[in-house]
Structures are given as C-alpha cells and as structure tokens.
Amino acid sequence: MISHKHKFVFTRVTKTASSAIAGCLKVNISDLIQIKGWSDDKHHIPMWYYRKNIPVKKFEFYYKFGFVRNSWDRLISAYHYSKKFGLTKNLKEWVTSINPEWKYDKYGLQYNFVNGCDFIGRFENLQEDFN
C-alpha cells in the first residue's frame, strides 16, 4: 500500500495482522493505493516490487515498513486459515505442499517481503510497534 501524500509504503506479509493494519490505514488515510501488476496476490506484495515500480526519487524518500511474526506461530495461523477453505486435511500435508522454490509465495519467507524496509514491526508487539 502506498500513500503519496504521507510518503510511505506498507508491505503486507501474510498472517502478521496485515489486514487489521491495512484497515486502520484505510480509515485514516484517504489516498492509499495498491501498486498494479503483481500477479501472485494483489494484497501481499514484496518491498522489492515496490522499489522496482515506484520512481527512485519518491521511493528513496518514502518511509517503508512491514510487520513479521514468529515463524512457527505464523505457520500454524496460515494452516488454520487454509483449513477454513477446505484447502488441506492435515498439517503435514499442508506444510509439504509449500514449494520452497516459490520465493514470493504468500506463505514463504517473510524476509523476501520486508527486505528494504526502514522499519520492521513484530506481530508480538503489534500495538507498540504500530504506534
């Protein structure tokens, strides 16, 4: 998510309260836009893709941030989320279906999304870090 008025870029990492953060930003900031062209998941876009698609003079001066979460907690949260949609039967089956070659898969490495951020908040300190 980008705000040109407030000069920031927020990269959303799955299962890190990114929907709640995005919702809060949408309520309070009227000019939020989402960059186009990322085909994997229009809500979860890695920072490198923003860097590639925002003019350098803007990108370098914008505040860039994202949130991460304990990897084990995130994995279990993602598993339970996928179960809601009938996408898996058991944890082992689900984990083995994640292809490690999919660097930017929404359940892949968080580092691939937040690399290049000015600030990386933690889900475990969500309110404090969001403030």
Side-chain angles (χ1 to χ4, degrees), residues 89-131:
K89 295 180 182 174
N90 63 55
L91 181 59
K92 181 179 178 182
E93 175 186 295
W94 184 79
V95 169
T96 57
S97 73
I98 298 172
N99 185 338
E101 297 300 316
W102 298 337
K103 284 182 154 183
Y104 303 106
D105 178 69
K106 64 182 176 180
Y107 297 126
L109 295 175
Q110 298 171 86
Y111 175 82
N112 291 333
F113 284 83
V114 298
N115 183 26
C117 285
D118 298 312
F119 177 78
I120 301 171
R122 294 200 49 87
F123 175 88
E124 294 80 8
N125 305 322
L126 187 61
Q127 188 62 57
E128 180 182 336
D129 287 353
F130 186 68
N131 289 343

mmCIF file of all heavy atoms in Angstrom, residues 89-131:
data_model
loop_
_atom_site.group_PDB
_atom_site.id
_atom_site.type_symbol
_atom_site.label_atom_id
_atom_site.label_comp_id
_atom_site.label_asym_id
_atom_site.label_seq_id
_atom_site.Cartn_x
_atom_site.Cartn_y
_atom_site.Cartn_z
ATOM 1 N N LYS A 89 -6.030 -31.166 4.594
ATOM 2 C CA LYS A 89 -6.601 -32.093 5.572
ATOM 3 C C LYS A 89 -5.803 -32.123 6.860
ATOM 4 O O LYS A 89 -6.366 -32.210 7.926
ATOM 5 C CB LYS A 89 -6.677 -33.495 4.975
ATOM 6 C CG LYS A 89 -7.639 -33.585 3.809
ATOM 7 C CD LYS A 89 -7.688 -34.979 3.242
ATOM 8 C CE LYS A 89 -8.625 -34.988 2.039
ATOM 9 N NZ LYS A 89 -8.613 -36.257 1.367
ATOM 10 N N ASN A 90 -4.478 -32.103 6.756
ATOM 11 C CA ASN A 90 -3.665 -32.147 7.975
ATOM 12 C C ASN A 90 -2.437 -31.262 7.819
ATOM 13 O O ASN A 90 -2.074 -30.867 6.718
ATOM 14 C CB ASN A 90 -3.280 -33.587 8.337
ATOM 15 C CG ASN A 90 -2.417 -34.231 7.289
ATOM 16 O OD1 ASN A 90 -1.363 -33.699 6.934
ATOM 17 N ND2 ASN A 90 -2.842 -35.381 6.773
ATOM 18 N N LEU A 91 -1.810 -30.970 8.947
ATOM 19 C CA LEU A 91 -0.683 -30.045 8.957
ATOM 20 C C LEU A 91 0.477 -30.539 8.078
ATOM 21 O O LEU A 91 1.041 -29.776 7.305
ATOM 22 C CB LEU A 91 -0.209 -29.813 10.398
ATOM 23 C CG LEU A 91 0.946 -28.848 10.582
ATOM 24 C CD1 LEU A 91 0.600 -27.469 10.045
ATOM 25 C CD2 LEU A 91 1.352 -28.773 12.045
ATOM 26 N N LYS A 92 0.801 -31.808 8.179
ATOM 27 C CA LYS A 92 1.928 -32.344 7.405
ATOM 28 C C LYS A 92 1.674 -32.185 5.905
ATOM 29 O O LYS A 92 2.560 -31.756 5.160
ATOM 30 C CB LYS A 92 2.170 -33.808 7.754
ATOM 31 C CG LYS A 92 3.334 -34.407 7.006
ATOM 32 C CD LYS A 92 3.563 -35.847 7.393
ATOM 33 C CE LYS A 92 4.715 -36.441 6.595
ATOM 34 N NZ LYS A 92 4.933 -37.840 6.900
ATOM 35 N N GLU A 93 0.484 -32.529 5.470
ATOM 36 C CA GLU A 93 0.131 -32.406 4.053
ATOM 37 C C GLU A 93 0.249 -30.948 3.602
ATOM 38 O O GLU A 93 0.778 -30.657 2.529
ATOM 39 C CB GLU A 93 -1.300 -32.897 3.849
ATOM 40 C CG GLU A 93 -1.846 -32.723 2.465
ATOM 41 C CD GLU A 93 -3.317 -33.113 2.410
ATOM 42 O OE1 GLU A 93 -3.621 -34.305 2.617
ATOM 43 O OE2 GLU A 93 -4.142 -32.221 2.165
ATOM 44 N N TRP A 94 -0.217 -30.036 4.419
ATOM 45 C CA TRP A 94 -0.187 -28.621 4.066
ATOM 46 C C TRP A 94 1.249 -28.100 3.988
ATOM 47 O O TRP A 94 1.631 -27.441 3.036
ATOM 48 C CB TRP A 94 -1.015 -27.799 5.061
ATOM 49 C CG TRP A 94 -1.097 -26.363 4.679
ATOM 50 C CD1 TRP A 94 -1.905 -25.811 3.738
ATOM 51 C CD2 TRP A 94 -0.310 -25.305 5.212
ATOM 52 N NE1 TRP A 94 -1.671 -24.471 3.652
ATOM 53 C CE2 TRP A 94 -0.697 -24.123 4.552
ATOM 54 C CE3 TRP A 94 0.681 -25.227 6.187
ATOM 55 C CZ2 TRP A 94 -0.134 -22.901 4.829
ATOM 56 C CZ3 TRP A 94 1.241 -24.013 6.470
ATOM 57 C CH2 TRP A 94 0.829 -22.864 5.796
ATOM 58 N N VAL A 95 2.056 -28.419 5.004
ATOM 59 C CA VAL A 95 3.442 -27.936 5.035
ATOM 60 C C VAL A 95 4.228 -28.479 3.847
ATOM 61 O O VAL A 95 4.985 -27.750 3.213
ATOM 62 C CB VAL A 95 4.132 -28.305 6.374
ATOM 63 C CG1 VAL A 95 5.625 -28.056 6.310
ATOM 64 C CG2 VAL A 95 3.519 -27.520 7.515
ATOM 65 N N THR A 96 4.043 -29.736 3.519
ATOM 66 C CA THR A 96 4.798 -30.313 2.412
ATOM 67 C C THR A 96 4.319 -29.791 1.054
ATOM 68 O O THR A 96 5.020 -29.944 0.057
ATOM 69 C CB THR A 96 4.758 -31.855 2.432
ATOM 70 O OG1 THR A 96 3.394 -32.280 2.387
ATOM 71 C CG2 THR A 96 5.444 -32.390 3.675
ATOM 72 N N SER A 97 3.149 -29.141 1.025
ATOM 73 C CA SER A 97 2.663 -28.584 -0.243
ATOM 74 C C SER A 97 3.274 -27.217 -0.548
ATOM 75 O O SER A 97 3.161 -26.718 -1.661
ATOM 76 C CB SER A 97 1.139 -28.469 -0.218
ATOM 77 O OG SER A 97 0.736 -27.402 0.624
ATOM 78 N N ILE A 98 3.925 -26.607 0.439
ATOM 79 C CA ILE A 98 4.558 -25.311 0.217
ATOM 80 C C ILE A 98 5.869 -25.543 -0.530
ATOM 81 O O ILE A 98 6.764 -26.205 -0.038
ATOM 82 C CB ILE A 98 4.822 -24.583 1.555
ATOM 83 C CG1 ILE A 98 3.507 -24.319 2.278
ATOM 84 C CG2 ILE A 98 5.568 -23.274 1.300
ATOM 85 C CD1 ILE A 98 3.684 -23.777 3.676
ATOM 86 N N ASN A 99 5.945 -25.021 -1.704
ATOM 87 C CA ASN A 99 7.111 -25.218 -2.552
ATOM 88 C C ASN A 99 8.206 -24.223 -2.164
ATOM 89 O O ASN A 99 8.009 -23.013 -2.288
ATOM 90 C CB ASN A 99 6.713 -25.022 -4.017
ATOM 91 C CG ASN A 99 7.843 -25.332 -4.967
ATOM 92 O OD1 ASN A 99 9.011 -25.310 -4.595
ATOM 93 N ND2 ASN A 99 7.483 -25.610 -6.211
ATOM 94 N N PRO A 100 9.362 -24.685 -1.701
ATOM 95 C CA PRO A 100 10.424 -23.762 -1.296
ATOM 96 C C PRO A 100 10.971 -22.925 -2.451
ATOM 97 O O PRO A 100 11.623 -21.915 -2.232
ATOM 98 C CB PRO A 100 11.509 -24.689 -0.737
ATOM 99 C CG PRO A 100 11.219 -26.031 -1.286
ATOM 100 C CD PRO A 100 9.739 -26.080 -1.543
ATOM 101 N N GLU A 101 10.687 -23.313 -3.672
ATOM 102 C CA GLU A 101 11.132 -22.537 -4.828
ATOM 103 C C GLU A 101 10.273 -21.299 -5.051
ATOM 104 O O GLU A 101 10.648 -20.407 -5.800
ATOM 105 C CB GLU A 101 11.118 -23.413 -6.093
ATOM 106 C CG GLU A 101 12.068 -24.580 -6.028
ATOM 107 C CD GLU A 101 13.516 -24.144 -5.843
ATOM 108 O OE1 GLU A 101 13.952 -23.198 -6.513
ATOM 109 O OE2 GLU A 101 14.204 -24.755 -5.008
ATOM 110 N N TRP A 102 9.112 -21.241 -4.413
ATOM 111 C CA TRP A 102 8.230 -20.087 -4.563
ATOM 112 C C TRP A 102 8.680 -19.004 -3.593
ATOM 113 O O TRP A 102 8.086 -18.792 -2.544
ATOM 114 C CB TRP A 102 6.785 -20.445 -4.293
ATOM 115 C CG TRP A 102 6.203 -21.449 -5.223
ATOM 116 C CD1 TRP A 102 6.604 -21.752 -6.483
ATOM 117 C CD2 TRP A 102 5.101 -22.313 -4.953
ATOM 118 N NE1 TRP A 102 5.836 -22.738 -7.019
ATOM 119 C CE2 TRP A 102 4.899 -23.102 -6.100
ATOM 120 C CE3 TRP A 102 4.255 -22.496 -3.876
ATOM 121 C CZ2 TRP A 102 3.888 -24.041 -6.185
ATOM 122 C CZ3 TRP A 102 3.249 -23.433 -3.963
ATOM 123 C CH2 TRP A 102 3.074 -24.194 -5.111
ATOM 124 N N LYS A 103 9.710 -18.310 -3.929
ATOM 125 C CA LYS A 103 10.303 -17.308 -3.042
ATOM 126 C C LYS A 103 9.295 -16.285 -2.554
ATOM 127 O O LYS A 103 9.383 -15.795 -1.445
ATOM 128 C CB LYS A 103 11.414 -16.565 -3.767
ATOM 129 C CG LYS A 103 12.685 -17.323 -3.912
ATOM 130 C CD LYS A 103 13.679 -16.437 -4.601
ATOM 131 C CE LYS A 103 15.074 -16.846 -4.243
ATOM 132 N NZ LYS A 103 16.048 -15.960 -4.839
ATOM 133 N N TYR A 104 8.353 -15.923 -3.378
ATOM 134 C CA TYR A 104 7.431 -14.860 -3.020
ATOM 135 C C TYR A 104 6.016 -15.383 -2.802
ATOM 136 O O TYR A 104 5.068 -14.628 -2.854
ATOM 137 C CB TYR A 104 7.486 -13.737 -4.063
ATOM 138 C CG TYR A 104 8.896 -13.227 -4.168
ATOM 139 C CD1 TYR A 104 9.692 -13.528 -5.250
ATOM 140 C CD2 TYR A 104 9.457 -12.503 -3.121
ATOM 141 C CE1 TYR A 104 11.008 -13.089 -5.305
ATOM 142 C CE2 TYR A 104 10.772 -12.072 -3.172
ATOM 143 C CZ TYR A 104 11.536 -12.365 -4.269
ATOM 144 O OH TYR A 104 12.832 -11.952 -4.308
ATOM 145 N N ASP A 105 5.905 -16.669 -2.549
ATOM 146 C CA ASP A 105 4.625 -17.230 -2.169
ATOM 147 C C ASP A 105 4.176 -16.541 -0.884
ATOM 148 O O ASP A 105 4.988 -16.213 -0.025
ATOM 149 C CB ASP A 105 4.769 -18.741 -1.939
ATOM 150 C CG ASP A 105 3.472 -19.368 -1.495
ATOM 151 O OD1 ASP A 105 2.545 -19.425 -2.322
ATOM 152 O OD2 ASP A 105 3.382 -19.764 -0.316
ATOM 153 N N LYS A 106 2.879 -16.323 -0.730
ATOM 154 C CA LYS A 106 2.410 -15.580 0.443
ATOM 155 C C LYS A 106 2.742 -16.275 1.762
ATOM 156 O O LYS A 106 2.760 -15.628 2.799
ATOM 157 C CB LYS A 106 0.927 -15.285 0.339
ATOM 158 C CG LYS A 106 0.031 -16.496 0.346
ATOM 159 C CD LYS A 106 -1.389 -16.026 0.174
ATOM 160 C CE LYS A 106 -2.344 -17.178 0.072
ATOM 161 N NZ LYS A 106 -3.701 -16.699 -0.098
ATOM 162 N N TYR A 107 3.049 -17.557 1.729
ATOM 163 C CA TYR A 107 3.454 -18.244 2.958
ATOM 164 C C TYR A 107 4.956 -18.519 2.982
ATOM 165 O O TYR A 107 5.446 -19.263 3.804
ATOM 166 C CB TYR A 107 2.673 -19.547 3.138
ATOM 167 C CG TYR A 107 1.195 -19.307 3.296
ATOM 168 C CD1 TYR A 107 0.273 -19.939 2.483
ATOM 169 C CD2 TYR A 107 0.718 -18.416 4.252
ATOM 170 C CE1 TYR A 107 -1.088 -19.705 2.622
ATOM 171 C CE2 TYR A 107 -0.628 -18.177 4.387
ATOM 172 C CZ TYR A 107 -1.529 -18.824 3.568
ATOM 173 O OH TYR A 107 -2.864 -18.586 3.706
ATOM 174 N N GLY A 108 5.680 -17.903 2.067
ATOM 175 C CA GLY A 108 7.124 -18.068 2.006
ATOM 176 C C GLY A 108 7.844 -17.222 3.051
ATOM 177 O O GLY A 108 7.245 -16.730 4.009
ATOM 178 N N LEU A 109 9.114 -17.031 2.841
ATOM 179 C CA LEU A 109 9.942 -16.297 3.800
ATOM 180 C C LEU A 109 9.482 -14.851 3.953
ATOM 181 O O LEU A 109 9.307 -14.138 2.961
ATOM 182 C CB LEU A 109 11.399 -16.312 3.352
ATOM 183 C CG LEU A 109 12.089 -17.667 3.318
ATOM 184 C CD1 LEU A 109 13.500 -17.523 2.740
ATOM 185 C CD2 LEU A 109 12.140 -18.274 4.703
ATOM 186 N N GLN A 110 9.338 -14.418 5.189
ATOM 187 C CA GLN A 110 8.948 -13.045 5.469
ATOM 188 C C GLN A 110 10.025 -12.062 5.007
ATOM 189 O O GLN A 110 9.723 -10.962 4.556
ATOM 190 C CB GLN A 110 8.680 -12.873 6.969
ATOM 191 C CG GLN A 110 7.533 -13.751 7.440
ATOM 192 C CD GLN A 110 7.388 -13.759 8.933
ATOM 193 O OE1 GLN A 110 6.726 -12.895 9.486
ATOM 194 N NE2 GLN A 110 8.030 -14.716 9.597
ATOM 195 N N TYR A 111 11.272 -12.485 5.101
ATOM 196 C CA TYR A 111 12.402 -11.658 4.681
ATOM 197 C C TYR A 111 12.235 -11.187 3.235
ATOM 198 O O TYR A 111 12.559 -10.053 2.901
ATOM 199 C CB TYR A 111 13.714 -12.440 4.838
ATOM 200 C CG TYR A 111 14.920 -11.695 4.305
ATOM 201 C CD1 TYR A 111 15.549 -10.721 5.084
ATOM 202 C CD2 TYR A 111 15.411 -11.942 3.033
ATOM 203 C CE1 TYR A 111 16.648 -10.017 4.591
ATOM 204 C CE2 TYR A 111 16.499 -11.237 2.536
ATOM 205 C CZ TYR A 111 17.117 -10.286 3.325
ATOM 206 O OH TYR A 111 18.187 -9.589 2.832
ATOM 207 N N ASN A 112 11.716 -12.051 2.381
ATOM 208 C CA ASN A 112 11.551 -11.703 0.974
ATOM 209 C C ASN A 112 10.555 -10.560 0.771
ATOM 210 O O ASN A 112 10.552 -9.915 -0.265
ATOM 211 C CB ASN A 112 11.107 -12.919 0.160
ATOM 212 C CG ASN A 112 12.212 -13.946 0.053
ATOM 213 O OD1 ASN A 112 13.386 -13.615 0.125
ATOM 214 N ND2 ASN A 112 11.847 -15.199 -0.093
ATOM 215 N N PHE A 113 9.706 -10.317 1.770
ATOM 216 C CA PHE A 113 8.733 -9.234 1.679
ATOM 217 C C PHE A 113 9.222 -7.951 2.335
ATOM 218 O O PHE A 113 8.949 -6.867 1.855
ATOM 219 C CB PHE A 113 7.397 -9.664 2.294
ATOM 220 C CG PHE A 113 6.637 -10.587 1.392
ATOM 221 C CD1 PHE A 113 6.920 -11.942 1.362
ATOM 222 C CD2 PHE A 113 5.662 -10.104 0.554
ATOM 223 C CE1 PHE A 113 6.251 -12.794 0.513
ATOM 224 C CE2 PHE A 113 4.976 -10.933 -0.310
ATOM 225 C CZ PHE A 113 5.272 -12.291 -0.327
ATOM 226 N N VAL A 114 9.936 -8.049 3.451
ATOM 227 C CA VAL A 114 10.310 -6.846 4.216
ATOM 228 C C VAL A 114 11.726 -6.357 3.950
ATOM 229 O O VAL A 114 12.103 -5.289 4.438
ATOM 230 C CB VAL A 114 10.113 -7.060 5.730
ATOM 231 C CG1 VAL A 114 8.647 -7.331 6.046
ATOM 232 C CG2 VAL A 114 10.997 -8.171 6.261
ATOM 233 N N ASN A 115 12.501 -7.085 3.187
ATOM 234 C CA ASN A 115 13.859 -6.645 2.879
ATOM 235 C C ASN A 115 13.801 -5.279 2.191
ATOM 236 O O ASN A 115 13.164 -5.125 1.157
ATOM 237 C CB ASN A 115 14.563 -7.664 1.982
ATOM 238 C CG ASN A 115 15.988 -7.296 1.690
ATOM 239 O OD1 ASN A 115 16.636 -6.600 2.460
ATOM 240 N ND2 ASN A 115 16.489 -7.762 0.556
ATOM 241 N N GLY A 116 14.452 -4.297 2.785
ATOM 242 C CA GLY A 116 14.432 -2.938 2.258
ATOM 243 C C GLY A 116 13.551 -1.993 3.044
ATOM 244 O O GLY A 116 13.499 -0.806 2.748
ATOM 245 N N CYS A 117 12.869 -2.510 4.063
ATOM 246 C CA CYS A 117 12.026 -1.653 4.904
ATOM 247 C C CYS A 117 12.882 -0.784 5.826
ATOM 248 O O CYS A 117 13.949 -1.202 6.273
ATOM 249 C CB CYS A 117 11.093 -2.500 5.770
ATOM 250 S SG CYS A 117 9.710 -3.225 4.881
ATOM 251 N N ASP A 118 12.384 0.389 6.136
ATOM 252 C CA ASP A 118 13.012 1.254 7.136
ATOM 253 C C ASP A 118 12.669 0.791 8.544
ATOM 254 O O ASP A 118 13.438 0.990 9.477
ATOM 255 C CB ASP A 118 12.537 2.700 6.964
ATOM 256 C CG ASP A 118 12.919 3.270 5.610
ATOM 257 O OD1 ASP A 118 14.099 3.125 5.226
ATOM 258 O OD2 ASP A 118 12.042 3.851 4.943
ATOM 259 N N PHE A 119 11.500 0.184 8.686
ATOM 260 C CA PHE A 119 11.058 -0.317 9.987
ATOM 261 C C PHE A 119 10.349 -1.643 9.784
ATOM 262 O O PHE A 119 9.499 -1.771 8.901
ATOM 263 C CB PHE A 119 10.105 0.676 10.663
ATOM 264 C CG PHE A 119 9.575 0.180 11.974
ATOM 265 C CD1 PHE A 119 10.364 0.232 13.116
ATOM 266 C CD2 PHE A 119 8.307 -0.360 12.070
ATOM 267 C CE1 PHE A 119 9.887 -0.245 14.331
ATOM 268 C CE2 PHE A 119 7.823 -0.833 13.274
ATOM 269 C CZ PHE A 119 8.618 -0.775 14.409
ATOM 270 N N ILE A 120 10.714 -2.615 10.616
ATOM 271 C CA ILE A 120 10.042 -3.915 10.603
ATOM 272 C C ILE A 120 9.462 -4.128 11.996
ATOM 273 O O ILE A 120 10.194 -4.303 12.968
ATOM 274 C CB ILE A 120 11.006 -5.057 10.233
ATOM 275 C CG1 ILE A 120 11.603 -4.805 8.849
ATOM 276 C CG2 ILE A 120 10.283 -6.402 10.287
ATOM 277 C CD1 ILE A 120 12.721 -5.749 8.468
ATOM 278 N N GLY A 121 8.143 -4.065 12.074
ATOM 279 C CA GLY A 121 7.461 -4.296 13.341
ATOM 280 C C GLY A 121 7.239 -5.775 13.565
ATOM 281 O O GLY A 121 7.370 -6.585 12.650
ATOM 282 N N ARG A 122 6.887 -6.099 14.791
ATOM 283 C CA ARG A 122 6.630 -7.501 15.146
ATOM 284 C C ARG A 122 5.182 -7.676 15.566
ATOM 285 O O ARG A 122 4.646 -6.869 16.324
ATOM 286 C CB ARG A 122 7.552 -7.942 16.269
ATOM 287 C CG ARG A 122 9.021 -7.959 15.824
ATOM 288 C CD ARG A 122 9.905 -8.803 16.684
ATOM 289 N NE ARG A 122 9.395 -10.121 16.947
ATOM 290 C CZ ARG A 122 9.579 -11.199 16.166
ATOM 291 N NH1 ARG A 122 10.267 -11.107 15.063
ATOM 292 N NH2 ARG A 122 9.088 -12.364 16.517
ATOM 293 N N PHE A 123 4.576 -8.725 15.079
ATOM 294 C CA PHE A 123 3.209 -9.083 15.452
ATOM 295 C C PHE A 123 3.084 -9.164 16.976
ATOM 296 O O PHE A 123 2.084 -8.747 17.546
ATOM 297 C CB PHE A 123 2.863 -10.427 14.795
ATOM 298 C CG PHE A 123 1.531 -10.976 15.189
ATOM 299 C CD1 PHE A 123 0.394 -10.630 14.476
ATOM 300 C CD2 PHE A 123 1.412 -11.864 16.246
ATOM 301 C CE1 PHE A 123 -0.841 -11.152 14.835
ATOM 302 C CE2 PHE A 123 0.189 -12.385 16.607
ATOM 303 C CZ PHE A 123 -0.952 -12.033 15.902
ATOM 304 N N GLU A 124 4.120 -9.697 17.606
ATOM 305 C CA GLU A 124 4.098 -9.905 19.059
ATOM 306 C C GLU A 124 4.093 -8.583 19.831
ATOM 307 O O GLU A 124 3.733 -8.558 21.002
ATOM 308 C CB GLU A 124 5.305 -10.757 19.487
ATOM 309 C CG GLU A 124 5.261 -12.190 18.954
ATOM 310 C CD GLU A 124 5.711 -12.348 17.498
ATOM 311 O OE1 GLU A 124 6.212 -11.379 16.895
ATOM 312 O OE2 GLU A 124 5.541 -13.458 16.952
ATOM 313 N N ASN A 125 4.474 -7.483 19.190
ATOM 314 C CA ASN A 125 4.465 -6.145 19.797
ATOM 315 C C ASN A 125 3.601 -5.215 18.942
ATOM 316 O O ASN A 125 3.933 -4.051 18.762
ATOM 317 C CB ASN A 125 5.874 -5.553 19.850
ATOM 318 C CG ASN A 125 6.844 -6.441 20.545
ATOM 319 O OD1 ASN A 125 6.529 -7.079 21.533
ATOM 320 N ND2 ASN A 125 8.061 -6.494 20.026
ATOM 321 N N LEU A 126 2.514 -5.733 18.415
ATOM 322 C CA LEU A 126 1.770 -5.062 17.368
ATOM 323 C C LEU A 126 1.382 -3.619 17.715
ATOM 324 O O LEU A 126 1.711 -2.699 16.969
ATOM 325 C CB LEU A 126 0.508 -5.863 17.026
ATOM 326 C CG LEU A 126 -0.283 -5.361 15.841
ATOM 327 C CD1 LEU A 126 0.543 -5.398 14.573
ATOM 328 C CD2 LEU A 126 -1.539 -6.191 15.655
ATOM 329 N N GLN A 127 0.717 -3.399 18.820
ATOM 330 C CA GLN A 127 0.258 -2.054 19.133
ATOM 331 C C GLN A 127 1.414 -1.098 19.340
ATOM 332 O O GLN A 127 1.434 0.003 18.803
ATOM 333 C CB GLN A 127 -0.652 -2.046 20.369
ATOM 334 C CG GLN A 127 -1.298 -0.704 20.630
ATOM 335 C CD GLN A 127 -2.222 -0.263 19.492
ATOM 336 O OE1 GLN A 127 -3.151 -0.956 19.143
ATOM 337 N NE2 GLN A 127 -1.921 0.881 18.887
ATOM 338 N N GLU A 128 2.394 -1.534 20.103
ATOM 339 C CA GLU A 128 3.557 -0.690 20.380
ATOM 340 C C GLU A 128 4.295 -0.339 19.085
ATOM 341 O O GLU A 128 4.638 0.825 18.846
ATOM 342 C CB GLU A 128 4.493 -1.404 21.339
ATOM 343 C CG GLU A 128 5.721 -0.630 21.708
ATOM 344 C CD GLU A 128 6.646 -1.429 22.629
ATOM 345 O OE1 GLU A 128 6.175 -2.350 23.323
ATOM 346 O OE2 GLU A 128 7.842 -1.119 22.640
ATOM 347 N N ASP A 129 4.524 -1.329 18.239
ATOM 348 C CA ASP A 129 5.263 -1.085 17.013
ATOM 349 C C ASP A 129 4.432 -0.279 15.996
ATOM 350 O O ASP A 129 4.985 0.526 15.259
ATOM 351 C CB ASP A 129 5.729 -2.396 16.389
ATOM 352 C CG ASP A 129 6.871 -3.029 17.160
ATOM 353 O OD1 ASP A 129 7.389 -2.398 18.096
ATOM 354 O OD2 ASP A 129 7.241 -4.164 16.823
ATOM 355 N N PHE A 130 3.134 -0.493 15.978
ATOM 356 C CA PHE A 130 2.290 0.267 15.062
ATOM 357 C C PHE A 130 2.263 1.747 15.469
ATOM 358 O O PHE A 130 2.296 2.639 14.625
ATOM 359 C CB PHE A 130 0.874 -0.294 14.995
ATOM 360 C CG PHE A 130 0.021 0.372 13.953
ATOM 361 C CD1 PHE A 130 0.289 0.202 12.611
ATOM 362 C CD2 PHE A 130 -1.048 1.176 14.317
ATOM 363 C CE1 PHE A 130 -0.485 0.817 11.635
ATOM 364 C CE2 PHE A 130 -1.822 1.798 13.343
ATOM 365 C CZ PHE A 130 -1.552 1.613 12.005
ATOM 366 N N ASN A 131 2.225 1.971 16.763
ATOM 367 C CA ASN A 131 2.248 3.373 17.232
ATOM 368 C C ASN A 131 3.517 4.059 16.748
ATOM 369 O O ASN A 131 3.520 5.211 16.379
ATOM 370 C CB ASN A 131 2.182 3.450 18.761
ATOM 371 C CG ASN A 131 0.818 3.055 19.271
ATOM 372 O OD1 ASN A 131 -0.160 3.018 18.551
ATOM 373 N ND2 ASN A 131 0.738 2.750 20.561
#
